[in-house]
Amino acid sequence: MTDISAAPATGQVAAEARRRRTFAVISHPDAGKSTLTEALALHARAITEAGAVHGKAGRRATVSDWMEMEKARGISITSTALQFPYRDAVINLLDTPGHADFSEDTYRVLTAVDCAVMLVDAAKGLEPQTLKLFQVCRHRGIPIITVINKWDRPGRHALELMDEINERIGLRTTPLTWPVGIAGDFQGVLDRRTGNFIRFTRTAGGATIAPEEHIAAADAHDAAGVDWDTAVEESELLSADGADFDREEFLSGASSPVLFTSAALNFGVNQLLDVLVGLAPAPDGGVDVDGIRRAVDAPFSAFVFKVQAGMDSAHRDRIAYARVYSGTFERGEVLTHARTGKPFVTKYAQSVFGQQRGTLDTAWPGDVIGLANAAVLRPGDTLYRDVPVEFPPIPSFSPEHFAVARGTDPSKHKQFRRGIEQLEQEGVVQVLRSERRGEQAPVLAAVGPMQFEVASHRMAAELSAPISLEPLPYQVARVVDPADADFVGRQVSAEVLTRTDGVKLALFSTPWRLQGFQRDNPDVKLSALVAAEG
Ligand code: G4P
């Protein structure tokens, strides 16, 4: 007989899942992602002063930067998962690397979120990296909240920005707030759902929460003059155009609620948190490899979306990040690792907040667990308890940069082999081989050249096997059928190599060379690595 009292508290799992909001911010570098992340944490009172998470120049310095390289370049490569309570909700903000060279990491993070915030610089509008990541969200059906940031600085007209988003990416914008004051003169916002004026007040250096006053529509003209009248007029224009919020359309990815912020001044950040809590979807049980949607209160399952090593010199270890899809996680429980079928012990579960780490004892659907020293875990792996499940693997972006790696110290060939294997398993680079080049000269493939710098740095500093990298003159990769591999490999300016998973990749010197080959050989089927890349 089944012991019902021993069964997981179904009601509690569902209730905890409903409270959670798991999302990431997608943006072009410099749109203000780090600033907004801090502002959100500040508003949720997870930190007391901006600067605590990312340590931007001029603010209180704490470091999430884990390598000298990051410090030298002033970028943050490490993805961390921030969790903080806000009102009755629990927010899981999955950070993504800012630099375009690490878009593959961002892609992986997007497999673990229920919603994305598309952050747009008011002066620049849609930029290439935003567009690329937007396509990934669309492909995965992730609902998007649009945030127009830096409204405190001169920028474009708000209506013009709406038109750009509608026209260029076919995402129908439905603003929830509308700015009072043009870009550069940000006084507050018209809350389009209540009709009230929310007036913001600056604080010194934007380091603390900006006070806001809610002023009834009837009194707003006295408070903001013609700027209020203009905002009302424009809002009415939007309504006449049908640009009012519709939750179903938002959840299906057809339309996007829009908010206006100044992350640096902490303006409009409360409104974003409220939209996340009030309108963004709660976690569900995920869709398994057979396309079946699972219940959130099914036995425990989680999906590894990222593996990160050597995060800082004080913790030279390797953390696998897994997103919980169903059930409850209790630290110490023994799970099953779906790929190998072997037991997996979860004694070393952690939560990671910027640089601070804590032991994580319990987690619910939507939460991210950091599993330390989990050498066996790779991005794309599933962990489960009781009922076997496997989630779909993470597709990889097409690499655009290729380099032959060679160990510079011949006595370290074992470390070399192990190091390359580890970098590949973590997804730092893809590794390609061919008989002609041999085991000692694998080809590293990357989306951006900075991935090579990370690989090189890690091989020397952490894996004790320094390498030299010889760039190869290829720019595009396509999957090729094994039957055609020899033929393609004999072409001028092309080469075929095999990835560790057995997939054969044909590399071409230029996109034009690839086009020419396809034109001359229409029977040879070459396919892109990720459908979303188009
Ligand atoms: P990212 O993570 O998306 O790359 O952007 P980040 O937050 O680092 O912001 C890029 C720059 O834009 C920073 O300036 C930041 O202060 C500024 N910024 C972000 N949000 C706003 C905003 O709402 N208004 C204004 N005016 N500026 C904003 P920086 O000069 O590179 O660094 P800092 O010394 O100011 O920190």
Side-chain angles (χ1 to χ4, degrees), residues 27-35 56-57 149-150 152-153 262-264:
S27 65
H28 195 81
D30 265 354
K33 185 161 59 66
S34 315
T35 312
K56 276 282 167 182
N149 189 36
K150 305 198 185 181
D152 58 300
R153 281 224 298 239
S262 164

Side-chain angles (χ1 to χ4, degrees), residues 171-444:
L171 184 64
R172 219 165 64 74
T173 49
T174 58
L176 294 174
T177 64
W178 196 249
V180 177
I182 56 166
D185 176 32
F186 197 8
Q187 301 165 44
V189 290
L190 187 171
D191 180 338
R192 293 190 69 227
R193 287 178 298 174
T194 61
N196 291 342
F197 174 33
I198 305 174
R199 178 156 69 182
F200 303 127
T201 306
R202 283 174 187 248
T203 61
T208 51
I209 294 175
E212 59 182 53
E213 263 171 282
H214 290 242
I215 299 170
D219 305 321
H221 174 84
D222 291 342
V226 288
D227 288 329
W228 171 257
D229 304 339
T230 307
V232 171
E233 256 171 50
E234 289 176 351
S235 175
E236 283 168 0
L237 268 178
L238 289 168
S239 296
D241 236 14
D244 291 334
F245 180 70
D246 178 309
R247 185 145 194 262
E248 296 228 325
E249 274 191 12
F250 160 53
L251 295 181
S252 75
S255 72
S256 172
V258 182
L259 297 164
F260 289 78
T261 64
S262 164
L265 298 178
N266 294 308
F267 286 8
V269 180
N270 259 345
Q271 286 67 35
L272 175 56
L273 281 165
D274 288 341
V275 167
L276 278 165
V277 172
L279 304 176
D284 61 27
V287 176
D288 71 12
V289 75
D290 300 319
I292 295 169
R293 188 162 287 285
R294 304 177 64 257
V296 82
D297 57 1
F300 176 82
S301 66
F303 179 71
V304 178
F305 62 93
K306 185 168 173 63
V307 173
Q308 181 85 57
M311 287 176 59
D312 63 64
S313 46
H315 308 267
R316 278 234 177 276
D317 58 5
R318 179 168 168 178
I319 296 194
Y321 292 95
R323 180 222 151 109
V324 179
Y325 270 105
S326 59
T328 316
F329 172 82
E330 301 283 353
R331 190 168 65 87
E333 265 178 353
V334 179
L335 305 171
T336 304
H337 179 220
R339 185 165 49 79
T340 58
K342 293 202 170 129
F344 182 88
V345 181
T346 59
K347 198 158 64 182
Y348 302 108
Q350 298 186 332
S351 61
V352 179
F353 184 102
Q355 188 159 62
Q356 298 150 25
R357 304 207 192 169
T359 305
L360 179 89
D361 289 317
T362 315
W364 305 93
D367 288 349
V368 171
I369 322 169
L371 296 161
N373 294 321
V376 60
L377 297 181
R378 302 177 193 170
D381 281 358
T382 302
L383 292 167
Y384 66 81
R385 190 184 53 221
D386 301 339
V387 179
V389 52
E390 214 164 330
F391 291 105
I394 305 175
S396 33
F397 268 118
S398 282
E400 292 169 19
H401 299 269
F402 306 87
V404 181
R406 289 191 184 84
T408 51
D409 182 346
S411 69
K412 301 250 170 103
H413 69 271
K414 256 196 217 143
Q415 284 94 328
F416 173 78
R417 217 189 44 228
R418 231 180 293 134
I420 296 285
E421 193 181 300
Q422 184 171 333
L423 295 185
E424 179 177 37
Q425 287 173 4
E426 286 171 21
V428 174
V429 283
Q430 295 180 40
V431 180
L432 315 176
R433 294 184 173 86
S434 67
E435 261 177 44
R436 180 168 76 76
R437 293 191 177 275
E439 253 321 286
Q440 294 307 316
V443 172
L444 308 189

Side-chain angles (χ1 to χ4, degrees), residues 41 74 112 124 135 209 391 530:
K124 296 187 176 146
Q135 295 302 350
I209 294 175
F391 291 105
V530 181

Side-chain angles (χ1 to χ4, degrees), residues 155-173:
R156 303 196 5 214
H157 196 287
L159 286 170
E160 188 190 312
L161 287 163
M162 298 305 101
D163 283 347
E164 183 182 11
I165 296 170
N166 289 329
E167 282 161 23
R168 278 187 69 193
I169 59 178
L171 184 64
R172 219 165 64 74
T173 49

Side-chain angles (χ1 to χ4, degrees), residues 106-121:
T106 304
Y107 191 104
R108 293 189 190 123
V109 172
L110 291 176
T111 64
V113 300
D114 300 312
C115 172
V117 167
M118 179 167 80
L119 190 65
V120 176
D121 183 322

